Amino acid sequence: MLKTVGIVAFIIWHCYVNFYGALYNRSPFMRSTLFATGLFIFLSGATIGLHYHDRLVSEKINTILNIFYRCIKLLFIVFLANIVIGVVSTKTLSLVLLANIAQKMISILHVDRWDISLQVLLVIAAGMLFNSIVVPVLIRLSPFYCKLISVTPLFLIFVFDWGNKYHLPYFWRYLPLAYFGALSGIVTYKIVNNKLLSKVHLRRIFTFSIFLFGALWVPVIVSGEIASNIVVETLPYYFMILSFYSGFGGLAFRYLDNGPLSVHLNRGFFILGEYSLFVYLLQIVLINISVLLLGGETFSSDIIVLSIALGITILCFLATNLIDRLRSIYPKLNKVYKSVCC
């Protein structure tokens, strides 16, 4: 569910970036999706801490190698996508173009680069690799040392990020969210499998988290000035992502994954989250096609932009269901899909 919400928020955000004519004055609808990038990076870390928990203990080397392979695939996808964009724009393919793209990808370590497409995948790849090494250490430590090692770096990260919010490059502003997500995934694993909290306590945590998310999210929608201060990944931004994860993620686990609504809602629209990488790449292609069809025209109406976003979301949903069906019929296609997107 959380990945589905994130991918839809990404589609809305990208549609506003490409079709909204007044980007300098962000619409409330646009501001409402500011958490999408951070949420995806956070969830990539939570996946390592939660779903890879057992494998990082029992099959540590093989699991780390598998994660490393996935990181290489993400780097290759970013590199290939930027080559395609470069060839389309320059009508040439040369070693100079390839070297330039490689140099730009490396340079995100020390500068903001908005001329590199899919750069969020570079942050996710780095976060996955880092977490694959750190998470096994945290799992094996005693509870006291685990808490000490976990909280101290996060505290230092928050202080450093808050004080340097206008200076840190995009890569370093977002990367801590992957580590933050991994810690949250480990905690979630222990709560779910060891039953550390009663249902009453869990409901209180879910309720508090949802109210906390609302308390941070609503002001962002109402005030562009507040949004400008939170979107640069300061401490409130981290708590916005964490509260969304613990609140709505808890509700999803309670009512969707294993609850009374699981039969009706577990797939359906939420299949977008299961195919998140495929949908993320597809929506970028569809948005660029739409830009070409509309001749680069922009709009001042939220209704028009949201209608475009809705259309692209529906196309992604239909394409995802088609791919899901074809994968179950053709084993070779399923193998190709897994080699690229899994």
Side-chain angles (χ1 to χ4, degrees), residues 185-245:
I186 294 173
V187 173
T188 303
Y189 178 92
K190 294 185 180 300
I191 290 175
V192 171
N193 290 278
N194 300 334
K195 296 180 171 56
L196 298 179
L197 297 174
S198 66
K199 291 184 178 180
V200 174
H201 287 114
L202 287 175
R203 281 198 295 268
R204 288 175 179 172
I205 292 174
F206 299 159
T207 303
F208 173 76
S209 297
I210 291 173
F211 276 107
L212 177 59
F213 175 76
L216 294 169
W217 187 56
V218 172
V220 168
I221 298 175
V222 174
S223 170
E225 183 178 354
I226 293 177
S228 297
N229 290 327
I230 291 183
V231 73
V232 288
E233 298 74 59
T234 57
L235 183 59
Y237 187 83
Y238 284 83
F239 279 113
M240 180 187 292
I241 301 298
L242 178 61
S243 60
F244 184 89
Y245 169 80

Side-chain angles (χ1 to χ4, degrees), residues 49 52-53 56-57 134-141 146 186 190:
Y52 282 81
H53 188 286
L56 283 170
V57 174
V134 173
V135 168
V137 176
L138 295 175
I139 291 173
R140 293 182 180 277
L141 288 175
C146 186
I186 294 173
K190 294 185 180 300

Side-chain angles (χ1 to χ4, degrees), residues 26-56:
R26 288 172 174 163
S27 161
F29 291 102
M30 184 180 186
R31 294 199 296 268
S32 70
T33 63
L34 289 175
F35 67 93
T37 300
L39 178 63
F40 255 94
I41 296 170
F42 179 93
L43 290 178
S44 70
T47 299
I48 303 296
L50 178 59
H51 298 294
Y52 282 81
H53 188 286
D54 290 335
R55 281 185 281 174
L56 283 170

